[in-house]
Amino acid sequence: MSSTLKFLDLFAGAGGLSEGFIRAGFKPIAHVEADASACFTLKTRQAFHWLKNNNSIDLYSKYLKNEITRNELYSAVPISEIDSVINEFIGPDTLDNIFQKVDEQLGKSQLDLIIGGPPCQAYSLIGRARGNMDDDPRNHLYKYYAEFLKRYKPKYFVFENVLGLLTAKDPSDELYFDKMKSLFIEIGYSIEYRVLSANEYGVMQNRKRIILVGKRGHRSKKSFYPEPEQWLPQANVWDLLNDLPQIIAGGGQTTPVEPITKPSEWLKQAQIYSNLPLTWHEARPHSQQDLEIYKHAVNLWNTEKRRLHYDDLPEHLKSHKGRNSFVDRFKVVAGDLAACHTVVAHISKDGHHYIHPDIEQNRSLTPREAARIQSFPDDYYFENVSGKPARTSAFKQIGNAVPVLLAQKIAEKLLKDW
């Protein structure tokens, strides 16, 4: 399905939400993101879409194979495609400059839709447990989101965030979510929201998120929420892992690799499989102690279908001081389940919570495996500021993203109901 409906992506991250809306037929006008590495990822993806739409995708393939530089890739597409990615933190000092850049990209066109959600750390339960969140400026980023709604008056907006937003309170004990809803209503939008679980829409991950949708104008009796079509494929996590080369901790590569078997039906149906080079199948190294723990965790799951509790370990492997907290810090991504546990940005710190289910490989997930769990297509390349691959940056971008398939399902229904 194609459309001329134009959208702006705020707090865009690596572009998971945007990718889903592009797949559904919406056209991005601009992406605004504070993280410089994620902005390069977005620029590279913009180049991919332009080259694909203009029958020049071979040039993108050359880039993935390191046959041309990033600058050469970007110079092959209109400058407006690269300039549509705006590397700014959204706040009072940058708002006017961002408006100007968006206006330049929009020209005389009407903006139909705004998507995106502020960074979730200030609302997440983990973030609040760490304390000192009351003064976090990210608590108030929704106010600037509202400024974009006031200026561009799109027909719809789609606002995504973590479940912790439902219970996060400001210093006066008022719920941030209530304040958000009141503000959106005040500036002329009717709002509806749902808690959606990604695994109900083809994503092999138990990831729940608040998806709030606003529609310009007064509420009618009929619901306008774009209820996405459910998809529960007959597949399990092995279907996203099995075709990738078998590697050990510290093995693999960021440059292209060849699958060892044909892709599963799920990979094809989810539009993850690609004929273009597959990158980022590189495993992080681990200490011998961690590798021994990983084997305990995988063996326990394989033999008893039971998760490893820290106290289950032999005494010589218990080196962590905090034995009564985060007792499930070592967790297997179980291949025989229909969905694994949530991939989050902490995967950039260590891989202990994302252990590969193959005891012979004995490692944590690669960025490509994590990206597949987030339903990113295999031709999606995760950039770093320097231009040199950085696994930590790739993991962070992947963990912070909205699953592409979930975004696509929402976008398809929104477009159908438009």
Side-chain angles (χ1 to χ4, degrees):
M1 182 180 293
S2 62
S3 167
T4 56
L5 297 174
K6 300 175 178 63
F7 73 90
L8 167 65
D9 190 359
L10 302 177
F11 313 102
L17 190 59
S18 179
E19 183 74 7
F21 275 79
I22 292 170
R23 277 191 189 178
F26 289 86
K27 177 180 173 56
I29 288 298
H31 299 82
V32 185
E33 169 55 35
D35 183 83
S37 292
C39 282
F40 278 108
T41 296
L42 291 165
K43 290 175 182 180
T44 296
R45 198 61 185 173
Q46 283 294 100
F48 162 84
H49 284 297
W50 191 91
L51 292 169
K52 181 181 178 182
N53 292 336
N54 288 274
N55 300 314
S56 300
I57 199 62
D58 285 350
L59 198 61
Y60 183 75
S61 183
K62 287 183 178 181
Y63 174 63
L64 296 181
K65 294 176 183 176
N66 286 332
E67 294 176 3
I68 62 171
T69 66
R70 189 163 71 186
N71 285 339
E72 288 173 322
L73 175 71
Y74 292 175
S75 65
V77 305
I79 189 64
S80 60
E81 295 293 323
I82 306 304
D83 287 348
S84 70
V85 179
I86 303 168
N87 183 196
E88 294 277 11
F89 179 86
I90 299 175
D93 298 330
T94 60
L95 208 55
D96 287 342
N97 183 46
I98 296 171
F99 283 156
Q100 181 180 342
K101 291 181 178 180
V102 173
D103 289 347
E104 290 171 358
Q105 293 296 124
L106 192 59
K108 296 182 179 180
S109 301
Q110 166 66 32
L111 188 66
D112 302 289
L113 170 71
I114 292 178
I115 65 173
C120 65
Q121 293 91 335
Y123 304 127
S124 72
L125 298 178
I126 293 175
R128 282 145 56 190
R130 290 175 180 152
N132 301 318
M133 283 294 173
D134 287 346
D135 296 327
D136 193 318
R138 292 173 298 184
N139 287 328
H140 307 287
L141 289 174
Y142 70 92
K143 297 178 182 177
Y144 302 111
Y145 193 106
E147 290 301 315
F148 284 87
L149 296 176
K150 290 179 187 176
R151 183 178 183 89
Y152 296 107
K153 298 179 174 58
K155 181 177 179 180
Y156 287 100
F157 71 89
V158 178
F159 183 98
E160 177 269 347
N161 223 284
V162 294
L163 295 188
L165 177 58
L166 295 174
T167 55
K169 294 182 179 181
D170 68 8
S172 66
D173 208 37
E174 187 176 356
L175 288 169
Y176 280 109
F177 194 45
D178 287 345
K179 296 171 72 171
M180 287 182 193
K181 290 185 292 182
S182 296
L183 177 57
F184 295 149
I185 291 169
E186 179 185 325
I187 61 176
Y189 285 86
S190 301
I191 56 172
E192 295 185 12
Y193 75 93
R194 305 281 190 275
V195 173
L196 300 182
S197 186
N199 67 295
E200 296 181 357
Y201 306 98
V203 182
M204 287 195 185
Q205 180 184 180
N206 293 313
R207 187 187 192 96
K208 292 185 176 181
R209 288 295 185 269
I210 299 168
I211 306 294
L212 182 149
V213 177
K215 182 177 182 181
R216 188 158 182 80
H218 297 295
R219 176 187 295 275
S220 63
K221 292 183 179 180
K222 183 180 178 181
S223 172
F224 59 81
Y225 196 86
E227 301 283 357
E229 182 180 348
Q230 288 195 342
W231 178 35
L232 300 171
Q234 298 299 306
N236 60 29
V237 175
W238 278 122
D239 288 293
L240 70 80
L241 298 173
N242 269 337
D243 68 313
L244 295 172
Q246 296 179 356
I247 58 176
I248 60 173
Q253 59 196 56
T254 60
T255 50
V257 298
E258 289 292 328
I260 58 175
T261 63
K262 291 182 179 180
S264 66
E265 284 303 309
W266 175 81
L267 284 173
K268 291 185 285 187
Q269 291 170 7
Q271 301 176 62
I272 291 173
Y273 171 72
S274 172
N275 288 320
L276 295 175
L278 185 153
T279 59
W280 274 117
H281 189 48
E282 178 191 65
R284 54 162 46 102
H286 296 288
S287 68
Q288 284 304 120
Q289 176 173 315
D290 286 340
L291 292 176
E292 190 174 345
I293 293 173
Y294 287 8
K295 284 195 172 184
H296 276 278
V298 175
N299 185 61
L300 190 62
W301 179 262
N302 287 344
T303 57
E304 302 181 29
K305 293 293 179 279
R306 185 163 65 87
R307 296 294 188 186
L308 176 71
H309 188 285
Y310 197 65
D311 282 340
D312 293 331
L313 290 170
E315 199 61 33
H316 73 280
L317 294 177
K318 298 178 184 177
S319 60
H320 291 274
K321 294 180 180 179
R323 297 190 182 186
N324 296 320
S325 61
F326 200 16
V327 293
D328 66 340
R329 59 168 60 91
F330 296 97
K331 196 165 186 176
V332 180
V333 176
D336 53 354
L337 296 183
C340 72
H341 51 286
T342 306
V343 173
V344 298
H346 184 80
I347 195 173
S348 67
K349 304 294 184 184
D350 61 57
H352 303 337
H353 211 56
Y354 304 97
I355 303 170
H356 193 284
D358 181 2
I359 199 167
E360 297 302 321
Q361 296 187 56
N362 193 29
R363 60 176 175 82
S364 57
L365 296 183
T366 67
R368 179 52 57 197
E369 290 163 339
R372 283 182 167 191
I373 291 173
Q374 287 279 54
S375 61
F376 278 102
D378 284 342
D379 51 35
Y380 214 102
Y381 189 76
F382 300 94
E383 295 279 8
N384 186 44
V385 172
S386 68
K388 297 180 180 180
R391 188 176 53 239
T392 297
S393 176
F395 272 132
K396 180 182 175 184
Q397 293 175 51
I398 293 164
N400 278 329
V402 176
V404 174
L405 262 177
L406 174 61
Q408 180 182 351
K409 293 290 186 180
I410 295 167
E412 286 172 346
K413 190 60 165 63
L414 185 63
L415 188 57
K416 184 178 179 180
D417 296 345
W418 198 276

